[in-house]
Amino acid sequence: MILPIVAYGHPVLRKVAEDITPDYPNLKELIENLFETMYKAEGVGLAAPQVNLSIRLFVMDASPMGDEHEAFKDFKKVFINAHIVEENGEDWSFSEGCLSIPGIREDVKRPEQIVLEYYDENWTFHRNVFTGIPARIMQHEYDHLDGVLFTDRLTPLKRKLLKSKLTAISKGQVDTSYRMLLPR
Ligand code: CO
């Protein structure tokens, strides 16, 4: 089932999300819905707060980027109770966008490597090192679990320049190919 995607300005995007337990209701279905919603919106990652659920769950599929990067061809993953335990390496710039902030793309600086602890969809625990673009997608989605948006990581000047666009998004004054849930 395709779910509406929460738009910028909605309070759920500002909450710190909670860990869940394996008995979380309809988890399998929720994960399927997250993927379906993400594919429909042509995203490479989607976090549960973006469908109005304040839980530490996100999905990603970097395979659309596999044309340029062979290593991402099968990079489809589910992250439950994700926690970044280390960030290493030099900061680097990469152009980010967000399904909750349609029509805006900006360069964001983040460290190149993370150590991430998480459970997969079978509740197997992982502690993995990720680098480059996969790490970047995870850092972006992970921020959603902490109530942080990529626009928060821009300079105050950039944020000021974007302010009217962001306000328009929060009022639904933006064209998207997918349904959005607006703040009341
Ligand atoms: Co996002």
Side-chain angles (χ1 to χ4, degrees):
M1 187 170 69
I2 293 168
L3 306 168
I5 295 177
V6 171
Y8 180 91
H10 193 292
V12 74
L13 295 177
R14 292 308 187 181
K15 280 193 193 166
V16 177
E18 307 268 352
D19 281 340
I20 57 169
T21 51
D23 60 358
Y24 188 85
N26 307 317
L27 182 58
K28 197 169 173 266
E29 196 186 333
L30 171 61
I31 291 167
E32 281 169 19
N33 292 344
L34 283 171
F35 276 117
E36 201 181 337
T37 302
M38 182 186 80
Y39 291 135
K40 165 78 168 89
E42 297 181 349
V44 292
L46 187 66
Q50 293 181 278
V51 298
N52 203 13
L53 291 170
S54 193
I55 58 173
R56 298 190 82 82
L57 163 65
F58 66 85
V59 300
M60 67 176 275
D61 186 350
S63 49
M65 297 169 122
D67 294 345
E68 294 154 66
H69 307 275
E70 189 66 24
F72 309 159
K73 274 231 156 83
D74 294 309
F75 218 102
K76 179 177 174 179
K77 283 185 185 292
V78 176
F79 299 87
I80 300 170
N81 297 348
H83 293 275
I84 290 178
V85 292
E86 274 181 51
E87 282 191 302
N88 301 308
E90 298 280 306
D91 279 3
W92 66 295
S93 261
F94 185 73
S95 172
E96 295 189 21
C98 181
L99 296 177
S100 295
I101 313 175
I104 296 180
R105 291 199 74 89
E106 291 291 340
D107 282 348
V108 181
K109 277 187 182 173
R110 300 180 191 266
E112 63 190 351
Q113 186 187 82
I114 60 169
V115 181
L116 187 70
E117 292 186 348
Y118 65 98
Y119 293 85
D120 64 23
E121 64 275 33
N122 302 311
W123 287 93
T124 303
F125 179 76
H126 300 268
R127 181 190 171 100
N128 292 142
V129 178
F130 296 101
T131 55
I133 292 171
R136 174 58 64 121
I137 298 169
M138 292 168 205
Q139 286 164 314
H140 176 111
E141 299 313 324
Y142 184 85
D143 265 357
H144 280 298
L145 309 184
D146 284 342
V148 175
L149 300 170
F150 82 92
T151 46
D152 302 339
R153 298 190 177 278
L154 304 174
T155 62
L157 175 64
K158 265 270 161 63
R159 276 209 302 277
K160 206 174 167 193
L161 293 171
L162 289 174
K163 197 163 184 250
S164 61
K165 270 192 181 177
L166 292 170
T167 303
I169 292 167
S170 69
K171 290 177 180 164
Q173 295 160 355
V174 61
D175 275 337
T176 51
S177 61
Y178 48 91
R179 200 150 56 95
M180 296 205 88
L181 179 67
L182 301 177
R184 293 199 167 262

